[in-house]
Amino acid sequence: MIQQIVPGRAARRGSGGITLSDVSKLAGVSTITVSRALNTPELVSPDTREKVRAAVERTGYVPNRLAGGLASNRSRLVAALVPTIAGPVFLETIQALTEALDEAGYQLMLGQSGYHHSREDALIDAIIGRRPDGIVLTGIMHSAEGRRRLLASGIPVVETWDLTPTPVDMLVGFSHEKVGAAIAGFLHAKGYRHPAVVTGDDQRADLRRRGFTAAMADLGVTTVPVHTVAAPTTLGSGRTALTALLTDAPHTDVLVCSSDALAHGVITEAHARGLRVPADLGVMGFGDLAFAQHTHPAITTVRIDGTAIGRQAARFIVERAKGVEVTQKVIDLGFSLIERDSV
């Protein structure tokens, strides 16, 4: 006979929470069978899985994943570090990473590192201490101490949204310098000769700025005014940046922005000042966010396939967790220049 367990009234020791034993009694099966049904459901019959599922639902039992991880050396948890949860540019990657990991039976834990790496080492220590099955970083690991700890942990690591010949472990991303160079070639071919840059004060944006100014110098444009704003960048910082640049570099004919949010702000301020975009001022963005094609004019920008980055990062982690040898550890997904009406 299946026993009835009333949550909160069963005799238990310790914290008083519902235990695996409570679930097994309600389901009428052994605790080992309950454990198998929860962790390796393919090893038990559909009828048994249904009994356990119903018992879990009735009791509100939540498996102790830490204890299960200690026993199996698998936590079913993947940690991801992003600079900010406020900026939309990484949302596609996080969404794709979450969905792909969920399909494989993993959960995603997010950490916010900021743009200046000051919190990265502390976060890495906290994450490694929880022994996740994988760690996904936005950008490459710049801290020598953080890199040492990641290597010593033995946890699979995927660096994303950047490119380096010396990753910690695995990498999927693109070259920011090549993005900047491609923008320079594109704008120079369209006849622009007096560019300026509005950039967030983060390392990846600076790499694009360097790639842009170097390529422009090769094309004969040696002076490129730069205005730096705090990251994460906003529409408001784009408006104030244009105000500053119209004073400092009044002959600017195209403004290269490190984000679509900045580009949107520049266009808004230009309209407020009676400037025509692109007749009086061209505007270039980065990220191809959802609003970019709906502004007036629509923003010319650079598209990064964040979904593909997230899926590949998840694939790396899952393959390594299964013991599969990853032969191609660095994948360059490249980028696409999306031409619209703002230049």
Side-chain angles (χ1 to χ4, degrees):
M1 175 182 294
I2 297 178
Q3 299 182 38
Q4 182 176 5
I5 303 295
V6 180
R9 293 191 175 273
R12 293 180 299 275
R13 293 177 295 190
S15 66
I18 295 293
T19 67
L20 195 71
S21 178
D22 294 331
V23 176
S24 71
K25 289 175 183 178
L26 184 58
V29 298
S30 69
T31 55
I32 292 177
T33 300
V34 173
S35 180
R36 286 174 179 166
L38 293 173
N39 297 305
T40 52
E42 67 276 8
L43 298 181
V44 300
S45 68
D47 181 61
T48 300
R49 287 202 301 269
E50 177 56 28
K51 287 179 181 179
V52 172
R53 185 205 62 77
V56 167
E57 185 175 321
R58 289 181 61 186
T59 59
Y61 173 70
V62 177
N64 185 336
R65 296 299 183 189
L66 179 58
L70 292 172
S72 65
N73 203 30
R74 297 276 294 278
S75 66
R76 291 284 174 180
L77 181 71
V78 173
L81 265 63
V82 294
T84 176
I85 59 174
V89 71
F90 302 114
L91 291 182
E92 274 190 21
T93 296
I94 295 304
Q95 183 67 30
L97 183 62
T98 300
E99 291 174 354
L101 288 172
D102 180 66
E103 291 170 2
Y106 292 82
Q107 298 299 317
L108 184 69
M109 175 178 68
L110 277 180
Q112 183 171 276
S113 61
Y115 277 96
H116 303 293
H117 313 297
S118 58
R119 299 183 59 215
E120 228 172 28
D121 283 351
L123 276 172
I124 290 296
D125 280 352
I127 288 170
I128 290 174
R130 286 160 176 78
R131 304 305 301 177
D133 285 336
I135 299 173
V136 178
L137 305 176
T138 303
I140 58 177
M141 173 55 64
H142 297 280
S143 161
E145 182 62 20
R147 184 182 179 91
R148 185 187 67 80
R149 290 173 181 172
L150 287 170
L151 288 169
S153 73
I155 297 170
V157 176
V158 183
E159 293 161 289
T160 66
W161 277 83
D162 211 335
L163 209 58
T164 175
T166 57
V168 173
D169 186 3
M170 299 169 286
L171 182 147
V172 53
F174 59 96
S175 169
H176 290 272
E177 294 97 329
K178 287 183 179 179
V179 169
I183 292 172
F186 168 72
L187 294 178
H188 192 273
K190 291 185 76 68
Y192 291 104
R193 297 295 183 270
H194 302 284
V197 173
V198 178
T199 179
D201 60 348
D202 67 274
Q203 189 158 24
R204 287 175 294 278
D206 190 55
L207 289 173
R208 295 194 296 276
R209 192 269 307 167
R210 291 181 191 180
F212 177 79
T213 55
M216 273 294 181
D218 290 340
L219 293 168
V221 180
T222 57
T223 301
V224 179
V226 177
H227 184 82
T228 303
V229 301
T233 55
T234 64
L235 184 151
S237 55
R239 296 194 68 170
T240 57
L242 179 59
T243 299
L245 278 168
L246 288 176
T247 299
D248 298 338
H251 300 298
T252 298
D253 58 4
V254 64
L255 202 48
V256 178
C257 303
S258 68
S259 72
D260 286 345
L262 281 175
H264 192 189
V266 167
I267 290 172
T268 301
E269 183 64 22
H271 287 165
R273 291 172 173 270
L275 296 174
R276 299 165 299 163
V277 177
D280 298 321
L281 179 71
V283 180
M284 181 88 196
F286 174 84
D288 195 25
L289 300 183
F291 65 79
Q293 62 181 312
H294 301 296
T295 60
H296 180 70
I299 298 172
T300 297
T301 185
V302 175
R303 166 73 176 154
I304 306 300
D305 194 342
T307 297
I309 290 176
R311 287 175 179 164
Q312 182 57 53
R315 192 175 301 119
F316 273 147
I317 296 294
V318 172
E319 287 180 354
R320 285 284 294 278
K322 291 179 178 179
V324 177
E325 182 181 358
V326 176
T327 55
Q328 186 180 358
K329 292 189 174 184
V330 176
I331 296 179
D332 182 355
L333 291 177
F335 54 89
S336 303
L337 201 153
I338 308 299
E339 184 174 1
R340 296 196 178 105
D341 300 325
S342 65
V343 296

mmCIF file of all heavy atoms in Angstrom, residues 179-221:
data_model
loop_
_atom_site.group_PDB
_atom_site.id
_atom_site.type_symbol
_atom_site.label_atom_id
_atom_site.label_comp_id
_atom_site.label_asym_id
_atom_site.label_seq_id
_atom_site.Cartn_x
_atom_site.Cartn_y
_atom_site.Cartn_z
ATOM 1 N N VAL A 179 36.314 43.700 -36.878
ATOM 2 C CA VAL A 179 35.071 44.472 -36.978
ATOM 3 C C VAL A 179 35.400 45.936 -37.248
ATOM 4 O O VAL A 179 34.852 46.563 -38.169
ATOM 5 C CB VAL A 179 34.233 44.347 -35.689
ATOM 6 C CG1 VAL A 179 33.079 45.364 -35.701
ATOM 7 C CG2 VAL A 179 33.668 42.946 -35.545
ATOM 8 N N GLY A 180 36.312 46.500 -36.433
ATOM 9 C CA GLY A 180 36.689 47.898 -36.620
ATOM 10 C C GLY A 180 37.273 48.165 -38.002
ATOM 11 O O GLY A 180 36.941 49.170 -38.653
ATOM 12 N N ALA A 181 38.129 47.260 -38.471
ATOM 13 C CA ALA A 181 38.744 47.427 -39.788
ATOM 14 C C ALA A 181 37.703 47.353 -40.901
ATOM 15 O O ALA A 181 37.759 48.117 -41.883
ATOM 16 C CB ALA A 181 39.821 46.367 -39.998
ATOM 17 N N ALA A 182 36.741 46.440 -40.760
ATOM 18 C CA ALA A 182 35.694 46.302 -41.776
ATOM 19 C C ALA A 182 34.826 47.556 -41.842
ATOM 20 O O ALA A 182 34.439 48.010 -42.930
ATOM 21 C CB ALA A 182 34.835 45.076 -41.476
ATOM 22 N N ILE A 183 34.521 48.144 -40.680
ATOM 23 C CA ILE A 183 33.741 49.381 -40.655
ATOM 24 C C ILE A 183 34.504 50.502 -41.356
ATOM 25 O O ILE A 183 33.936 51.272 -42.141
ATOM 26 C CB ILE A 183 33.409 49.777 -39.197
ATOM 27 C CG1 ILE A 183 32.436 48.770 -38.584
ATOM 28 C CG2 ILE A 183 32.812 51.182 -39.148
ATOM 29 C CD1 ILE A 183 32.200 48.980 -37.096
ATOM 30 N N ALA A 184 35.808 50.574 -41.102
ATOM 31 C CA ALA A 184 36.626 51.610 -41.738
ATOM 32 C C ALA A 184 36.604 51.477 -43.249
ATOM 33 O O ALA A 184 36.395 52.468 -43.975
ATOM 34 C CB ALA A 184 38.067 51.527 -41.214
ATOM 35 N N GLY A 185 36.804 50.279 -43.757
ATOM 36 C CA GLY A 185 36.801 50.074 -45.198
ATOM 37 C C GLY A 185 35.463 50.402 -45.816
ATOM 38 O O GLY A 185 35.383 51.013 -46.897
ATOM 39 N N PHE A 186 34.394 50.012 -45.132
ATOM 40 C CA PHE A 186 33.036 50.272 -45.619
ATOM 41 C C PHE A 186 32.753 51.768 -45.698
ATOM 42 O O PHE A 186 32.269 52.281 -46.731
ATOM 43 C CB PHE A 186 32.040 49.578 -44.698
ATOM 44 C CG PHE A 186 30.610 49.979 -44.894
ATOM 45 C CD1 PHE A 186 29.904 49.579 -46.015
ATOM 46 C CD2 PHE A 186 29.965 50.760 -43.945
ATOM 47 C CE1 PHE A 186 28.569 49.957 -46.200
ATOM 48 C CE2 PHE A 186 28.639 51.135 -44.113
ATOM 49 C CZ PHE A 186 27.951 50.737 -45.245
ATOM 50 N N LEU A 187 33.058 52.515 -44.625
ATOM 51 C CA LEU A 187 32.759 53.940 -44.592
ATOM 52 C C LEU A 187 33.654 54.728 -45.546
ATOM 53 O O LEU A 187 33.207 55.688 -46.190
ATOM 54 C CB LEU A 187 32.910 54.475 -43.165
ATOM 55 C CG LEU A 187 31.896 53.930 -42.150
ATOM 56 C CD1 LEU A 187 32.185 54.500 -40.759
ATOM 57 C CD2 LEU A 187 30.455 54.242 -42.568
ATOM 58 N N HIS A 188 34.916 54.318 -45.651
ATOM 59 C CA HIS A 188 35.823 55.006 -46.580
ATOM 60 C C HIS A 188 35.345 54.825 -48.019
ATOM 61 O O HIS A 188 35.381 55.781 -48.827
ATOM 62 C CB HIS A 188 37.238 54.460 -46.411
ATOM 63 C CG HIS A 188 38.284 55.281 -47.092
ATOM 64 N ND1 HIS A 188 38.642 55.094 -48.425
ATOM 65 C CD2 HIS A 188 39.046 56.320 -46.643
ATOM 66 C CE1 HIS A 188 39.582 55.959 -48.746
ATOM 67 N NE2 HIS A 188 39.858 56.705 -47.696
ATOM 68 N N ALA A 189 34.864 53.629 -48.333
ATOM 69 C CA ALA A 189 34.357 53.365 -49.683
ATOM 70 C C ALA A 189 33.117 54.200 -49.995
ATOM 71 O O ALA A 189 32.848 54.514 -51.164
ATOM 72 C CB ALA A 189 34.047 51.884 -49.838
ATOM 73 N N LYS A 190 32.373 54.584 -48.972
ATOM 74 C CA LYS A 190 31.187 55.414 -49.174
ATOM 75 C C LYS A 190 31.523 56.906 -49.229
ATOM 76 O O LYS A 190 30.623 57.735 -49.374
ATOM 77 C CB LYS A 190 30.170 55.141 -48.055
ATOM 78 C CG LYS A 190 29.551 53.744 -48.139
ATOM 79 C CD LYS A 190 28.455 53.544 -47.107
ATOM 80 C CE LYS A 190 27.174 54.263 -47.505
ATOM 81 N NZ LYS A 190 26.505 53.668 -48.703
ATOM 82 N N GLY A 191 32.807 57.241 -49.071
ATOM 83 C CA GLY A 191 33.229 58.620 -49.243
ATOM 84 C C GLY A 191 33.455 59.411 -47.972
ATOM 85 O O GLY A 191 33.782 60.607 -48.032
ATOM 86 N N TYR A 192 33.314 58.796 -46.829
ATOM 87 C CA TYR A 192 33.535 59.520 -45.574
ATOM 88 C C TYR A 192 35.024 59.700 -45.324
ATOM 89 O O TYR A 192 35.805 58.749 -45.430
ATOM 90 C CB TYR A 192 32.905 58.769 -44.405
ATOM 91 C CG TYR A 192 31.385 58.757 -44.437
ATOM 92 C CD1 TYR A 192 30.690 57.612 -44.820
ATOM 93 C CD2 TYR A 192 30.669 59.892 -44.089
ATOM 94 C CE1 TYR A 192 29.300 57.598 -44.852
ATOM 95 C CE2 TYR A 192 29.272 59.902 -44.124
ATOM 96 C CZ TYR A 192 28.600 58.751 -44.507
ATOM 97 O OH TYR A 192 27.230 58.745 -44.534
ATOM 98 N N ARG A 193 35.423 60.940 -44.957
ATOM 99 C CA ARG A 193 36.835 61.245 -44.731
ATOM 100 C C ARG A 193 37.092 61.932 -43.384
ATOM 101 O O ARG A 193 38.251 62.172 -43.027
ATOM 102 C CB ARG A 193 37.365 62.146 -45.849
ATOM 103 C CG ARG A 193 37.342 61.507 -47.232
ATOM 104 C CD ARG A 193 38.281 60.309 -47.315
ATOM 105 N NE ARG A 193 38.321 59.727 -48.662
ATOM 106 C CZ ARG A 193 37.507 58.760 -49.075
ATOM 107 N NH1 ARG A 193 36.597 58.247 -48.244
ATOM 108 N NH2 ARG A 193 37.591 58.287 -50.303
ATOM 109 N N HIS A 194 36.024 62.221 -42.633
ATOM 110 C CA HIS A 194 36.190 62.889 -41.336
ATOM 111 C C HIS A 194 35.413 62.138 -40.248
ATOM 112 O O HIS A 194 34.471 62.677 -39.660
ATOM 113 C CB HIS A 194 35.716 64.353 -41.421
ATOM 114 C CG HIS A 194 36.437 65.155 -42.458
ATOM 115 N ND1 HIS A 194 37.724 65.620 -42.276
ATOM 116 C CD2 HIS A 194 36.064 65.550 -43.707
ATOM 117 C CE1 HIS A 194 38.115 66.273 -43.351
ATOM 118 N NE2 HIS A 194 37.128 66.256 -44.245
ATOM 119 N N PRO A 195 35.833 60.922 -39.959
ATOM 120 C CA PRO A 195 35.096 60.125 -38.978
ATOM 121 C C PRO A 195 35.470 60.504 -37.536
ATOM 122 O O PRO A 195 36.541 61.062 -37.276
ATOM 123 C CB PRO A 195 35.559 58.705 -39.290
ATOM 124 C CG PRO A 195 36.975 58.882 -39.762
ATOM 125 C CD PRO A 195 36.966 60.176 -40.538
ATOM 126 N N ALA A 196 34.581 60.193 -36.638
ATOM 127 C CA ALA A 196 34.853 60.276 -35.201
ATOM 128 C C ALA A 196 34.259 59.023 -34.556
ATOM 129 O O ALA A 196 33.416 58.331 -35.161
ATOM 130 C CB ALA A 196 34.265 61.543 -34.597
ATOM 131 N N VAL A 197 34.698 58.727 -33.342
ATOM 132 C CA VAL A 197 34.261 57.521 -32.645
ATOM 133 C C VAL A 197 33.665 57.890 -31.290
ATOM 134 O O VAL A 197 34.241 58.709 -30.555
ATOM 135 C CB VAL A 197 35.436 56.541 -32.438
ATOM 136 C CG1 VAL A 197 35.017 55.353 -31.565
ATOM 137 C CG2 VAL A 197 35.976 56.048 -33.776
ATOM 138 N N VAL A 198 32.520 57.302 -30.976
ATOM 139 C CA VAL A 198 31.961 57.362 -29.626
ATOM 140 C C VAL A 198 31.980 55.939 -29.090
ATOM 141 O O VAL A 198 31.367 55.038 -29.672
ATOM 142 C CB VAL A 198 30.515 57.895 -29.619
ATOM 143 C CG1 VAL A 198 29.968 57.888 -28.192
ATOM 144 C CG2 VAL A 198 30.459 59.288 -30.185
ATOM 145 N N THR A 199 32.714 55.723 -27.999
ATOM 146 C CA THR A 199 32.910 54.354 -27.526
ATOM 147 C C THR A 199 32.705 54.222 -26.027
ATOM 148 O O THR A 199 33.039 55.130 -25.255
ATOM 149 C CB THR A 199 34.325 53.863 -27.902
ATOM 150 O OG1 THR A 199 34.515 52.536 -27.411
ATOM 151 C CG2 THR A 199 35.399 54.759 -27.314
ATOM 152 N N GLY A 200 32.165 53.089 -25.631
ATOM 153 C CA GLY A 200 32.112 52.757 -24.218
ATOM 154 C C GLY A 200 33.506 52.441 -23.709
ATOM 155 O O GLY A 200 34.388 52.046 -24.483
ATOM 156 N N ASP A 201 33.714 52.596 -22.400
ATOM 157 C CA ASP A 201 35.053 52.384 -21.841
ATOM 158 C C ASP A 201 35.279 50.935 -21.419
ATOM 159 O O ASP A 201 35.721 50.650 -20.301
ATOM 160 C CB ASP A 201 35.299 53.321 -20.655
ATOM 161 C CG ASP A 201 34.305 53.105 -19.518
ATOM 162 O OD1 ASP A 201 33.282 52.401 -19.726
ATOM 163 O OD2 ASP A 201 34.541 53.629 -18.415
ATOM 164 N N ASP A 202 34.968 50.012 -22.332
ATOM 165 C CA ASP A 202 35.231 48.601 -22.059
ATOM 166 C C ASP A 202 36.234 48.078 -23.081
ATOM 167 O O ASP A 202 36.403 48.653 -24.162
ATOM 168 C CB ASP A 202 33.941 47.773 -22.097
ATOM 169 C CG ASP A 202 33.332 47.705 -23.476
ATOM 170 O OD1 ASP A 202 32.571 48.622 -23.840
ATOM 171 O OD2 ASP A 202 33.599 46.733 -24.203
ATOM 172 N N GLN A 203 36.886 46.990 -22.744
ATOM 173 C CA GLN A 203 38.023 46.513 -23.537
ATOM 174 C C GLN A 203 37.643 46.075 -24.944
ATOM 175 O O GLN A 203 38.365 46.342 -25.908
ATOM 176 C CB GLN A 203 38.710 45.368 -22.809
ATOM 177 C CG GLN A 203 40.032 44.965 -23.451
ATOM 178 C CD GLN A 203 40.937 44.258 -22.489
ATOM 179 O OE1 GLN A 203 40.473 43.678 -21.527
ATOM 180 N NE2 GLN A 203 42.238 44.271 -22.754
ATOM 181 N N ARG A 204 36.501 45.399 -25.088
ATOM 182 C CA ARG A 204 36.125 44.930 -26.430
ATOM 183 C C ARG A 204 35.794 46.093 -27.353
ATOM 184 O O ARG A 204 36.161 46.093 -28.529
ATOM 185 C CB ARG A 204 34.955 43.941 -26.329
ATOM 186 C CG ARG A 204 35.370 42.587 -25.782
ATOM 187 C CD ARG A 204 34.183 41.661 -25.569
ATOM 188 N NE ARG A 204 33.286 42.140 -24.534
ATOM 189 C CZ ARG A 204 33.488 41.950 -23.229
ATOM 190 N NH1 ARG A 204 34.577 41.328 -22.816
ATOM 191 N NH2 ARG A 204 32.637 42.393 -22.328
ATOM 192 N N ALA A 205 35.116 47.109 -26.827
ATOM 193 C CA ALA A 205 34.833 48.300 -27.628
ATOM 194 C C ALA A 205 36.130 49.005 -28.020
ATOM 195 O O ALA A 205 36.270 49.523 -29.130
ATOM 196 C CB ALA A 205 33.928 49.261 -26.859
ATOM 197 N N ASP A 206 37.102 49.010 -27.109
ATOM 198 C CA ASP A 206 38.378 49.656 -27.414
ATOM 199 C C ASP A 206 39.131 48.900 -28.513
ATOM 200 O O ASP A 206 39.814 49.513 -29.332
ATOM 201 C CB ASP A 206 39.241 49.741 -26.155
ATOM 202 C CG ASP A 206 40.458 50.623 -26.365
ATOM 203 O OD1 ASP A 206 40.291 51.792 -26.773
ATOM 204 O OD2 ASP A 206 41.590 50.139 -26.152
ATOM 205 N N LEU A 207 39.000 47.574 -28.523
ATOM 206 C CA LEU A 207 39.619 46.800 -29.598
ATOM 207 C C LEU A 207 39.023 47.184 -30.957
ATOM 208 O O LEU A 207 39.754 47.310 -31.951
ATOM 209 C CB LEU A 207 39.436 45.307 -29.352
ATOM 210 C CG LEU A 207 40.245 44.693 -28.214
ATOM 211 C CD1 LEU A 207 39.821 43.236 -27.996
ATOM 212 C CD2 LEU A 207 41.735 44.771 -28.505
ATOM 213 N N ARG A 208 37.716 47.391 -30.995
ATOM 214 C CA ARG A 208 37.089 47.805 -32.258
ATOM 215 C C ARG A 208 37.565 49.201 -32.659
ATOM 216 O O ARG A 208 37.818 49.472 -33.823
ATOM 217 C CB ARG A 208 35.557 47.768 -32.125
ATOM 218 C CG ARG A 208 35.004 46.385 -31.903
ATOM 219 C CD ARG A 208 33.505 46.324 -32.117
ATOM 220 N NE ARG A 208 32.727 47.119 -31.183
ATOM 221 C CZ ARG A 208 32.349 46.721 -29.969
ATOM 222 N NH1 ARG A 208 32.727 45.519 -29.521
ATOM 223 N NH2 ARG A 208 31.613 47.487 -29.196
ATOM 224 N N ARG A 209 37.694 50.073 -31.664
ATOM 225 C CA ARG A 209 38.196 51.425 -31.932
ATOM 226 C C ARG A 209 39.609 51.380 -32.504
ATOM 227 O O ARG A 209 39.925 52.062 -33.480
ATOM 228 C CB ARG A 209 38.154 52.233 -30.635
ATOM 229 C CG ARG A 209 38.378 53.732 -30.795
ATOM 230 C CD ARG A 209 39.832 54.123 -30.670
ATOM 231 N NE ARG A 209 40.452 53.628 -29.468
ATOM 232 C CZ ARG A 209 41.752 53.621 -29.259
ATOM 233 N NH1 ARG A 209 42.587 54.067 -30.200
ATOM 234 N NH2 ARG A 209 42.266 53.143 -28.136
ATOM 235 N N ARG A 210 40.449 50.534 -31.928
ATOM 236 C CA ARG A 210 41.820 50.410 -32.424
ATOM 237 C C ARG A 210 41.843 49.873 -33.859
ATOM 238 O O ARG A 210 42.599 50.357 -34.704
ATOM 239 C CB ARG A 210 42.619 49.477 -31.522
ATOM 240 C CG ARG A 210 42.899 50.019 -30.135
ATOM 241 C CD ARG A 210 43.722 49.001 -29.349
ATOM 242 N NE ARG A 210 43.809 49.339 -27.942
ATOM 243 C CZ ARG A 210 44.459 48.624 -27.045
ATOM 244 N NH1 ARG A 210 45.063 47.495 -27.425
ATOM 245 N NH2 ARG A 210 44.493 48.994 -25.782
ATOM 246 N N GLY A 211 41.029 48.852 -34.110
ATOM 247 C CA GLY A 211 40.965 48.301 -35.461
ATOM 248 C C GLY A 211 40.494 49.321 -36.464
ATOM 249 O O GLY A 211 41.004 49.386 -37.605
ATOM 250 N N PHE A 212 39.529 50.162 -36.046
ATOM 251 C CA PHE A 212 38.988 51.190 -36.930
ATOM 252 C C PHE A 212 40.024 52.262 -37.232
ATOM 253 O O PHE A 212 40.269 52.614 -38.407
ATOM 254 C CB PHE A 212 37.753 51.825 -36.288
ATOM 255 C CG PHE A 212 37.159 52.947 -37.095
ATOM 256 C CD1 PHE A 212 36.352 52.678 -38.184
ATOM 257 C CD2 PHE A 212 37.408 54.275 -36.761
ATOM 258 C CE1 PHE A 212 35.807 53.706 -38.942
ATOM 259 C CE2 PHE A 212 36.870 55.312 -37.503
ATOM 260 C CZ PHE A 212 36.063 55.026 -38.597
ATOM 261 N N THR A 213 40.667 52.799 -36.206
ATOM 262 C CA THR A 213 41.623 53.894 -36.423
ATOM 263 C C THR A 213 42.858 53.421 -37.190
ATOM 264 O O THR A 213 43.396 54.162 -38.026
ATOM 265 C CB THR A 213 42.038 54.521 -35.083
ATOM 266 O OG1 THR A 213 42.543 53.510 -34.198
ATOM 267 C CG2 THR A 213 40.852 55.213 -34.420
ATOM 268 N N ALA A 214 43.291 52.185 -36.927
ATOM 269 C CA ALA A 214 44.450 51.657 -37.660
ATOM 270 C C ALA A 214 44.132 51.500 -39.136
ATOM 271 O O ALA A 214 44.947 51.855 -40.017
ATOM 272 C CB ALA A 214 44.886 50.326 -37.070
ATOM 273 N N ALA A 215 42.931 50.969 -39.441
ATOM 274 C CA ALA A 215 42.549 50.785 -40.844
ATOM 275 C C ALA A 215 42.348 52.129 -41.530
ATOM 276 O O ALA A 215 42.713 52.302 -42.701
ATOM 277 C CB ALA A 215 41.281 49.944 -40.932
ATOM 278 N N MET A 216 41.782 53.088 -40.817
ATOM 279 C CA MET A 216 41.609 54.429 -41.391
ATOM 280 C C MET A 216 42.954 55.071 -41.683
ATOM 281 O O MET A 216 43.128 55.737 -42.714
ATOM 282 C CB MET A 216 40.791 55.314 -40.444
ATOM 283 C CG MET A 216 39.289 55.192 -40.635
ATOM 284 S SD MET A 216 38.798 55.833 -42.262
ATOM 285 C CE MET A 216 37.024 55.606 -42.226
ATOM 286 N N ALA A 217 43.918 54.878 -40.778
ATOM 287 C CA ALA A 217 45.265 55.425 -41.010
ATOM 288 C C ALA A 217 45.875 54.826 -42.260
ATOM 289 O O ALA A 217 46.517 55.532 -43.056
ATOM 290 C CB ALA A 217 46.149 55.153 -39.795
ATOM 291 N N ASP A 218 45.671 53.525 -42.466
ATOM 292 C CA ASP A 218 46.176 52.876 -43.683
ATOM 293 C C ASP A 218 45.534 53.457 -44.935
ATOM 294 O O ASP A 218 46.131 53.434 -46.022
ATOM 295 C CB ASP A 218 45.926 51.366 -43.626
ATOM 296 C CG ASP A 218 46.795 50.672 -42.593
ATOM 297 O OD1 ASP A 218 47.820 51.249 -42.191
ATOM 298 O OD2 ASP A 218 46.430 49.541 -42.183
ATOM 299 N N LEU A 219 44.306 53.983 -44.773
ATOM 300 C CA LEU A 219 43.578 54.562 -45.903
ATOM 301 C C LEU A 219 43.846 56.059 -46.056
ATOM 302 O O LEU A 219 43.241 56.717 -46.908
ATOM 303 C CB LEU A 219 42.073 54.307 -45.730
ATOM 304 C CG LEU A 219 41.639 52.843 -45.831
ATOM 305 C CD1 LEU A 219 40.199 52.667 -45.346
ATOM 306 C CD2 LEU A 219 41.770 52.344 -47.265
ATOM 307 N N GLY A 220 44.718 56.585 -45.192
ATOM 308 C CA GLY A 220 45.097 57.982 -45.314
ATOM 309 C C GLY A 220 44.386 58.936 -44.379
ATOM 310 O O GLY A 220 44.641 60.150 -44.400
ATOM 311 N N VAL A 221 43.495 58.434 -43.538
ATOM 312 C CA VAL A 221 42.787 59.276 -42.573
ATOM 313 C C VAL A 221 43.475 59.092 -41.221
ATOM 314 O O VAL A 221 43.256 58.111 -40.518
ATOM 315 C CB VAL A 221 41.296 58.897 -42.472
ATOM 316 C CG1 VAL A 221 40.588 59.798 -41.457
ATOM 317 C CG2 VAL A 221 40.631 58.994 -43.838
#
